[in-house]
Amino acid sequence: GAGVSQTPSNKVTEKGKYVELRCDPISGHTALYWYRQSLGQGPEFLIYFQGTGAADDSGLPNDRFFAVRPEGSVSTLKIQRTERGDSAVYLCASSLSRAGEQFFGPGTRLTVL
Amino acid sequence: GIQVEQSPPDLILQEGANSTLRCNFSDSVNNLQWFHQNPWGQLINLFYIPSGTKQNGRLSATTVATERYSLLYISSSQTTDSGVYFCAVVGVTGGGADGLTFGKGTHLIIQP
């Protein structure tokens, strides 16, 4: 069984550009989460999907960040007008159900120049 | 929101030693997980343990939910145990209700 996959593994972009990060959860997992990890810190929660809907987006830092999960499986995190402070590793996790054990993907390292 | 404190922040041990890592949390939890983050950044699941005791080889964990703490035990340490150990919880109440709140981690170095 495949784990959580994320693409790309690395993304370098210029300040002001738009980026999309993709997450493919474990098959059958209805819950999907996005986190962001800065150097030397623990991951910080961004948004949680149950099925197709964003059940909790309280961790999104501002309106430049948006995420979708249109068919209840793959999710895309979208960042508009990127800033240097957005540089971090973006992690995706999935779980079988709400409050269930979460399994993490390898992350996408985003660098904004 | 819920607060998670891990101790010690750093730990250096010789190969073969035993260690205990602690995680304190400020509210009741629906989920508590221990992770090992390897040098490539991958978060590896160690335990899903909102309460009780579990063991997996040289590792074991205990969560005392009523006293709001969890302990991770590593016995007979190996150099491959080096890395950062995170405790993460989902609180019963509060914002970010279903996302994990992580502690700052314990950075473990096992010397040969």
Side-chain angles (χ1 to χ4, degrees), chain A residues 32-85:
Chain A
L32 184 146
Y33 311 79
W34 283 99
Y35 296 82
R36 178 168 72 174
Q37 186 173 23
S38 301
L39 197 62
Q41 305 294 318
E44 294 179 327
F45 168 75
L46 296 177
I47 186 169
Y48 155 61
F49 287 88
Q50 183 60 47
T52 60
D56 182 355
D57 64 358
S58 61
L60 293 178
N62 53 60
D63 61 6
R64 295 186 299 104
F65 288 75
F66 189 71
V68 296
R69 193 186 186 199
E71 297 179 357
S73 179
V74 171
S75 176
T76 304
L77 179 66
K78 308 180 181 199
I79 310 174
Q80 299 177 322
R81 304 183 304 280
T82 52
E83 300 178 356
R84 292 194 180 88

Side-chain angles (χ1 to χ4, degrees), chain B residues 4 6 10 14 16 19 22-23 35 40-41 60 65 68 75 82 88:
Chain B
V4 181
Q6 290 187 244
D10 301 282
Q14 294 297 121
S19 58
R22 185 176 181 104
C23 172
F35 297 92
W40 297 270
S60 63
R68 298 181 183 169
S75 65
S82 296

Side-chain angles (χ1 to χ4, degrees), chain B residues 3-45:
Chain B
Q3 305 297 312
V4 181
E5 293 185 0
Q6 290 187 244
S7 59
D10 301 282
L11 187 57
I12 301 174
L13 299 171
Q14 294 297 121
E15 201 167 23
N18 301 329
S19 58
T20 301
L21 282 57
R22 185 176 181 104
C23 172
N24 292 333
F25 44 94
S26 61
D27 199 357
S28 299
V29 298
N30 283 327
N31 177 359
L32 188 147
Q33 293 184 240
W34 283 97
F35 297 92
H36 175 208
Q37 189 161 45
N38 67 20
W40 297 270
Q42 177 71 50
L43 282 166
I44 299 166
N45 288 42

Side-chain angles (χ1 to χ4, degrees), chain B:
Chain B
I2 194 166
Q3 305 297 312
V4 181
E5 293 185 0
Q6 290 187 244
S7 59
D10 301 282
L11 187 57
I12 301 174
L13 299 171
Q14 294 297 121
E15 201 167 23
N18 301 329
S19 58
T20 301
L21 282 57
R22 185 176 181 104
C23 172
N24 292 333
F25 44 94
S26 61
D27 199 357
S28 299
V29 298
N30 283 327
N31 177 359
L32 188 147
Q33 293 184 240
W34 283 97
F35 297 92
H36 175 208
Q37 189 161 45
N38 67 20
W40 297 270
Q42 177 71 50
L43 282 166
I44 299 166
N45 288 42
L46 298 178
F47 294 102
Y48 170 77
I49 189 168
S51 64
T53 298
K54 291 186 178 180
Q55 179 155 8
N56 184 4
R58 296 182 296 104
L59 274 60
S60 63
T62 295
T63 298
V64 184
T66 53
E67 297 186 21
R68 298 181 183 169
Y69 73 89
S70 183
L71 301 173
L72 176 68
Y73 305 96
I74 305 173
S75 65
S76 304
S77 300
Q78 301 175 358
T79 56
T80 51
D81 294 332
S82 296
V84 182
Y85 289 79
F86 286 107
C87 170
V89 303
V90 177
V92 170
T93 58
D98 293 281
L100 287 165
T101 298
F102 282 75
K104 293 184 183 297
T106 291
H107 187 196
L108 177 64
I109 297 173
I110 305 298
Q111 296 178 332

